[in-house]
Amino acid sequence: MIPNPAQNLADLAARLASRILPELATPHSQADVALISELLITLSQEFESAIEKRMQDINDMKALFAGATDNWPGAGAVAAYREKVPKSLLLEDVNQLHAEGLGYLIKLHAWAEEADEDLHRDIWHFLHTYYERHQFALPTR
């Protein structure tokens, strides 16, 4: 067992940036290590909150789908989707349900652009929330 894996990844990133990076001789190798360090930081943040963020997205999408009218072409499919839960809380299973919902959201958004101004606005609000929720906090240089 590795306790606090997210913190361990962040610590590895910090060590790369503070100890290894300054010792490298070429700008290319420095840039490479800096990129690896930043990727480790994003991995640590994703590791910590991936399932929670995706479940929030899924719940928000289900609420959007509940507010959609029954006269759009995908109404039956999203009605079934709203009843689904992930097979498990493993990231792979949550990702599958999340991706399915995003597929329906794209179809609903295309329809709402032409047919339902309020729903179109609500989808853009969801997308803004989605963007904010999934941002990474990288250290400033």
Side-chain angles (χ1 to χ4, degrees), residues 57-128:
D57 293 342
I58 289 166
N59 291 334
D60 289 353
M61 285 186 286
K62 286 180 178 184
L64 269 174
F65 299 153
T69 62
D70 289 337
N71 63 351
W72 77 281
V78 296
Y81 176 81
R82 288 180 39 228
E83 301 302 318
K84 290 184 177 182
V85 295
K87 293 176 188 173
S88 74
L89 291 180
L90 292 173
L91 185 55
E92 180 180 0
D93 291 333
V94 175
N95 275 343
Q96 187 279 323
L97 187 62
H98 188 264
E100 183 181 349
L102 288 174
Y104 293 133
L105 182 71
I106 290 167
K107 292 174 185 172
L108 178 62
H109 195 190
W111 176 84
E113 282 180 329
E114 301 292 328
D116 189 329
E117 187 176 322
D118 291 336
L119 181 58
H120 183 239
R121 185 181 57 249
D122 291 345
I123 291 170
W124 275 112
H125 177 74
F126 165 80
L127 292 171
H128 177 75

